[in-house]
Amino acid sequence: MTGQQETPRDGVRDRAPWPARTSSGDRTRSGDRTRSGDRAWGNERAGSGGRERPGTGRAWAGRDETPARPPREAGPQLPDSVTPEQLDPEARAQLNSLPNDLADIVARYLVAASLADDPEQGYAYAQTAKRLAARVGVVREACGIAAYQTGRWAEALSELRAARRMTGRDEYLPMMADCERALGRLDRALALVREGQHANLDRATQIELRIVESGIRRDQGLPDAAVLALQVPELTSGRLRPWSARLFYAYADALLAAGRAEEARDAFVRAAEADPGGETDAADRLDALDGIEFDDLEDDDLEDDAETDDVEEDDPGEKDPGEIDADEKDPGEEGPTASRSG
């Protein structure tokens, strides 16, 4: 499943609803949660005090002239602007279980992974962090999110399971359920949705779980159930939240699948209005419902330009060879009624 490119799910340009773990108070959406991303982080140490012989699990005997730590595999070049201090303070504190220099390096890779514009680049950063500190929960979370955003569903599911086991948190359930859905395992996806219904989740995560449930019901051929799953009070509330555009968009999709096109159009309008940043393709879907085809209009313009060019290529002064203007007659030629003098 690695490398499978199927994102974004359900027309949302950045399906994962988790913000970057940066030090700013309002977390961004570059590769992490769109809600408060506070998590419990893994506290396991990266290794024991003694060194082991590679591949044996046994400590080296006698004098060892090798470096204290094996050479690290070189990772992708980090932007100079990325610093360890940009990492969320809670995550930064948990990385204190690592040696100081290693903690700084891992922190920089985590920040770079969350802020990368290219999902594949973010995935590469996260994988490097994992090679350096695979036993830290925040690192496995970052790997799961990065794999999810690049369509590596099975890998994302495995990493998020590990993160959940290390941190004891249930906020990964929406992404885990969506991975199961993408893999075609709808029963397992619904089982994770039900787990979330009994977990102590914040409202944003509950909404994400309902969005996934609605998609599962559509995949099952139950469009009415898909609509029902999203009928929450926030649909009619006048207050916009960071996830309102996603909720309106998913509701519009469900209505459209249920054959309620007019209601779907209204929901797409609300989604577009709540989404000035273009997180979803609500505006494009709305244009499609209204029958606006920009590609066709561009083609028509090109055809009109071509016709104009053809007309301009004709010589406006050119005359038909068979037509002779009266003024162009031979001046010595006389008509039949001409008279001769003297």
Side-chain angles (χ1 to χ4, degrees), residues 11 48 53 65 147 218 285 309 325 327 334:
S48 59
R53 184 177 301 169
E65 300 297 337
R218 283 193 287 116
R285 296 290 299 277
D309 292 341
D325 201 335
D327 295 336
E334 298 180 357

Side-chain angles (χ1 to χ4, degrees), residues 217 221-229 231 254 257-260:
R217 294 305 185 186
L222 303 171
D224 292 333
V227 172
L228 186 61
Q231 289 182 342
R260 297 158 63 176

Side-chain angles (χ1 to χ4, degrees), residues 292-312:
I292 299 175
E293 298 291 342
F294 291 103
D295 291 340
D296 292 343
L297 291 176
E298 290 176 1
D299 292 341
D300 291 342
D301 290 340
L302 291 175
E303 290 175 2
D304 292 341
D305 291 342
E307 291 175 1
T308 302
D309 292 341
D310 291 341
V311 172
E312 290 176 352

Side-chain angles (χ1 to χ4, degrees), residues 2-200:
T2 299
Q4 178 182 357
Q5 297 298 319
E6 196 175 330
T7 52
R9 305 271 297 157
D10 298 332
V12 180
R13 292 199 169 99
D14 185 3
R15 179 63 181 81
W18 289 264
R21 291 186 182 277
T22 57
S23 58
S24 60
D26 295 330
R27 294 182 171 86
T28 64
R29 289 201 80 269
S30 300
D32 259 304
R33 301 194 184 261
T34 54
R35 24 163 254 91
S36 73
D38 297 336
R39 302 286 176 274
W41 309 90
N43 215 7
E44 300 83 1
R45 292 192 173 273
S48 59
R51 287 175 286 118
E52 296 179 349
R53 184 177 301 169
T56 65
R58 299 176 183 175
W60 288 98
R63 184 177 178 82
D64 184 9
E65 300 297 337
T66 60
R69 196 179 293 118
R72 299 182 184 127
E73 182 179 348
Q77 184 68 35
L78 285 166
D80 294 336
S81 59
V82 173
T83 66
E85 289 73 26
Q86 290 176 276
L87 191 64
D88 181 273
E90 182 183 352
R92 177 76 177 153
Q94 294 301 324
L95 288 179
N96 288 338
S97 60
L98 303 173
N100 288 341
D101 60 336
L102 182 59
D104 286 347
I105 294 171
V106 172
R108 291 186 68 202
Y109 275 113
L110 293 179
V111 172
S114 65
L115 299 179
D117 292 329
D118 178 12
E120 287 294 339
Q121 185 65 64
Y123 177 81
Y125 288 138
Q127 288 298 301
T128 301
K130 180 181 176 181
R131 287 197 298 269
L132 298 173
R135 296 176 61 190
V136 179
V138 61
V139 173
R140 304 303 288 274
E141 175 186 333
C143 288
I145 293 170
Y148 178 91
Q149 292 183 331
T150 57
R152 295 169 167 91
W153 311 120
E155 182 180 346
L157 187 60
S158 175
E159 295 292 348
L160 292 171
R161 281 173 178 164
R164 187 186 184 199
R165 183 173 63 252
M166 292 176 177
T167 65
R169 297 297 184 107
D170 293 319
E171 283 84 353
Y172 313 113
L173 284 173
M175 271 201 297
M176 292 171 64
D178 203 31
C179 287
E180 292 284 16
R181 177 194 168 199
L183 292 168
R185 303 192 294 230
L186 302 184
D187 290 341
R188 294 187 185 182
L190 278 177
L192 288 171
V193 169
R194 294 190 186 100
E195 278 190 55
Q197 292 171 350
H198 300 290
N200 185 23

